[in-house]
């Protein structure tokens, strides 16, 4: 499976200015190739000899590849917009989708393919232009022990150099060995929700609650409020900025949740993690205006994907089960009825926390709906 790793570069002042110049020239070249292509000249058979750029030829080749893929994607989106407008017109709607604008790279970056960079002895080597000629520079890096072990026998892919909070970093794609899936061990059921972001139940009886639903909800409401205020003041840039910030926070929360869940699974010798199929996850949730349903579906989907990915790395299989009645079935006698409030009480005397019940039933469920979500 393909993974990526970020390495911080510690260039000398001179190296830093060389890399900065390379990154600027790189995006300038890609942007100019894209504009040539969309203005009617095909770049399909372009080689380094067709491109004027103050870059090593390996990087010019990469620019051509990048430009081609940007153009291809752009045409695909344009085509989608045309189809959408056609169907809108058919339905008699006066609304039209705007044609997508041409993507322009703004953030300085550059890509170097695996044949043109090399990592060794806490240094990374790649070509830049020095006085009009291509020259390899060797930039000091700091690798953690984990990264050293990781890279010792990895097959590298493309490297991307970007600036992140004022430092240069290299994002390196590598092929990791496919982990061997465990064939023996316990089963874990996970119930994803709003009030409790996640609850796990292991077949050895262990129960764990993750995250803080109330805090997440307050955060979202706070950002929604800010957004509304800024929108009515027509501060579009500020709206975008806080949207990005909220996305980043949500992403961090999901990363932490999925990490904690998989850690628990590893600690309890889990071989299979079961999740509800996401299309109608916890459909028993009463829909209030405060709960934006589509938004929640999306964040469940994202969290499930992260769990799936981290579980796979730990050799744990993820399976999806039918969500019907998981929050209503008594695991002791099998009766089906709704929970009153947060507590689930059954006629047979069984009682438990409602969200824990979901995880428990998911753990026991054999109603598989494949090992892919369909949200
Ligand atoms: Zn019962």
């Amino acid at each position: 499976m393909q993974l990526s790793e970020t390495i911080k570069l510690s260039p000398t002042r001179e190296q830093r200015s060389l890399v900065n110049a390379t990154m600027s020239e790189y995006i300038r070249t890609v942007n100019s190739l894209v504009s040539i292509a969309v203005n009617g000249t095909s770049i399909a058979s372009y080689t380094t000899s067709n491109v004027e750029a103050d870059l090593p030829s390996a990087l010019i080749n990469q620019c051509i590849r990048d430009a081609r893929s940007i153009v291809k994607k752009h045409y695909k989106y344009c085509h989608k917009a045309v189809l959408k407008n056609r169907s809108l017109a058919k339905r008699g709607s006066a609304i039209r989708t705007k044609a997508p604008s041409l993507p322009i790279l703004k953030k300085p970056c550059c890509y170097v393919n695996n044949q043109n960079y090399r990592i060794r002895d806490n240094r990374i080597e790649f070509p830049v232009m020095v006085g009009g000629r291509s020259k390899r520079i060797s930039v000091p890096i700091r690798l953690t022990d984990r990264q050293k072990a990781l890279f010792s026998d990895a097959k590298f892919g493309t490297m991307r150099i970007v600036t992140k909070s004022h430092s240069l970093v290299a994002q390196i794609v590598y092929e990791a060995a496919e982990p061997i899936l465990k064939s023996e061990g316990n089963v874990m059921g996970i119930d994803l929700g709003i009030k409790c972001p996640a609850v796990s139940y292991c077949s050895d009886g262990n129960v764990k609650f993750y995250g803080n639903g109330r805090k997440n909800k307050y955060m979202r409401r706070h950002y929604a409020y800010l957004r509304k205020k800024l929108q009515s003041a027509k501060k579009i840039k500020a709206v975008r900025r806080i949207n990005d910030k909220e996305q980043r926070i949500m992403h961090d929360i999901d990363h932490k949740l999925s990490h904690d869940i998989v850690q628990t699974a590893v600690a309890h010798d889990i071989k299979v993690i079961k999740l509800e199929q996401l299309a109608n996850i916890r459909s028993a949730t009463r829909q209030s205006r405060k709960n934006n349903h589509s938004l929640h579906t999306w964040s469940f989907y994202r969290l499930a994907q992260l769990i799936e990915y981290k579980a796979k790395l730990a050799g744990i299989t993820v399976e999806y089960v039918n969500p019907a009645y998981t929050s209503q079935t008594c695991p002791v006698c099998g009766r089906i009825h709704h929970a009153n409030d947060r507590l689930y009480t059954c006629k047979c005397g069984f009682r438990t926390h409602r969200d824990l019940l979901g995880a428990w039933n998911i753990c026991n469920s054999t109603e598989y709906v494949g090992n892919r979500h369909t949200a």
Side-chain angles (χ1 to χ4, degrees), residues 155-316:
K155 228 179 118 194
F156 291 113
T158 312
M159 168 173 79
R160 175 178 184 240
I161 298 175
V162 282
T163 311
K164 251 194 178 166
S165 47
H166 305 294
S167 331
L168 284 177
V169 298
Q171 295 165 334
I172 291 174
V173 173
Y174 65 96
E175 189 67 38
E178 203 70 36
I180 298 159
L181 295 178
K182 289 166 74 168
S183 59
E184 271 171 51
N186 297 319
V187 177
M188 175 191 254
I190 297 169
D191 192 18
L192 302 179
I194 295 161
K195 282 218 172 82
C196 294
V199 185
S200 71
Y201 177 87
C202 300
S203 50
D204 64 7
N206 176 270
V207 173
K208 204 170 165 190
F209 288 77
Y210 306 83
N212 184 336
R214 194 176 300 166
K215 200 171 126 197
N216 296 353
K217 200 165 153 189
Y218 276 130
M219 187 203 65
R220 295 204 126 155
R221 270 174 45 205
H222 170 67
Y223 278 104
Y225 162 77
L226 281 180
R227 207 169 6 249
K228 210 168 165 189
K229 212 169 83 174
L230 291 166
Q231 235 148 21
S232 54
K234 296 225 161 24
K235 292 188 172 157
I236 306 301
K237 262 193 185 159
V239 170
R240 202 173 300 150
R241 206 164 48 231
I242 68 153
N243 276 347
D244 288 350
K245 192 172 176 195
E246 186 186 6
Q247 282 305 309
R248 267 202 310 276
I249 295 173
M250 295 307 297
H251 212 90
D252 284 350
I253 291 172
D254 285 350
H255 261 295
K256 188 162 187 321
L257 281 175
S258 53
H259 177 257
D260 291 351
I261 289 168
V262 175
Q263 285 294 100
T264 309
V266 170
H268 288 269
D269 193 29
I270 299 297
K271 71 164 177 182
V272 176
I273 289 178
K274 290 186 194 171
L275 286 163
E276 282 181 320
Q277 188 192 32
L278 293 160
N280 33 10
I281 207 159
R282 206 180 279 176
S283 45
T285 310
R286 261 162 286 148
Q287 295 225 6
S288 71
R289 248 165 290 169
K290 280 181 200 162
N291 289 347
N292 180 333
H293 188 68
S294 66
L295 233 155
H296 285 300
T297 311
W298 168 240
S299 63
F300 289 141
Y301 173 76
R302 193 170 57 184
L303 181 55
Q305 276 195 316
L306 284 170
I307 294 170
E308 210 176 287
Y309 156 79
K310 285 175 189 175
K312 194 176 174 188
L313 282 176
I316 299 168

Side-chain angles (χ1 to χ4, degrees), residues 60-192:
I60 296 180
N61 273 321
Q62 196 63 41
C63 286
I64 299 170
R65 274 195 287 271
D66 281 359
R68 277 188 202 134
S69 89
I70 290 171
V71 171
K72 198 172 160 195
K73 224 186 237 168
H74 177 64
Y75 282 150
K76 196 172 133 197
Y77 290 143
C78 289
H79 183 63
K80 265 192 185 160
V82 169
L83 293 182
K84 181 95 197 265
N85 284 338
R86 219 177 271 165
S87 98
L88 283 167
K90 224 179 190 173
R91 273 184 279 152
S93 167
I95 302 165
R96 291 293 177 271
T97 317
K98 260 207 301 198
S101 55
L102 191 65
I104 293 166
L105 302 182
K106 286 182 187 136
K107 263 191 176 167
C109 73
C110 68
Y111 286 80
V112 185
N113 73 5
N114 57 2
Q115 280 161 30
N116 290 289
Y117 72 88
R118 204 152 154 195
I119 297 172
R120 58 173 172 189
D121 308 330
N122 283 320
R123 300 183 90 83
I124 190 162
E125 294 173 15
F126 57 93
V128 294
M129 291 305 257
V130 183
R133 303 189 68 168
S134 172
K135 199 183 163 214
R136 280 174 95 89
I137 54 170
S138 172
V139 180
I141 50 176
R142 260 165 294 160
L143 292 178
T144 61
D145 287 344
R146 189 185 65 87
Q147 286 173 329
K148 273 181 203 156
L150 215 97
F151 288 161
S152 65
D153 58 349
K155 228 179 118 194
F156 291 113
T158 312
M159 168 173 79
R160 175 178 184 240
I161 298 175
V162 282
T163 311
K164 251 194 178 166
S165 47
H166 305 294
S167 331
L168 284 177
V169 298
Q171 295 165 334
I172 291 174
V173 173
Y174 65 96
E175 189 67 38
E178 203 70 36
I180 298 159
L181 295 178
K182 289 166 74 168
S183 59
E184 271 171 51
N186 297 319
V187 177
M188 175 191 254
I190 297 169
D191 192 18
L192 302 179

Side-chain angles (χ1 to χ4, degrees), residues 32-51 60-72 75:
S32 103
L33 283 168
V34 169
S35 106
I36 289 171
V38 297
N39 284 313
T41 309
S42 168
I43 57 166
S45 57
Y46 264 37
T47 62
T48 49
S49 62
N50 300 96
V51 183
I60 296 180
N61 273 321
Q62 196 63 41
C63 286
I64 299 170
R65 274 195 287 271
D66 281 359
R68 277 188 202 134
S69 89
I70 290 171
V71 171
K72 198 172 160 195
Y75 282 150

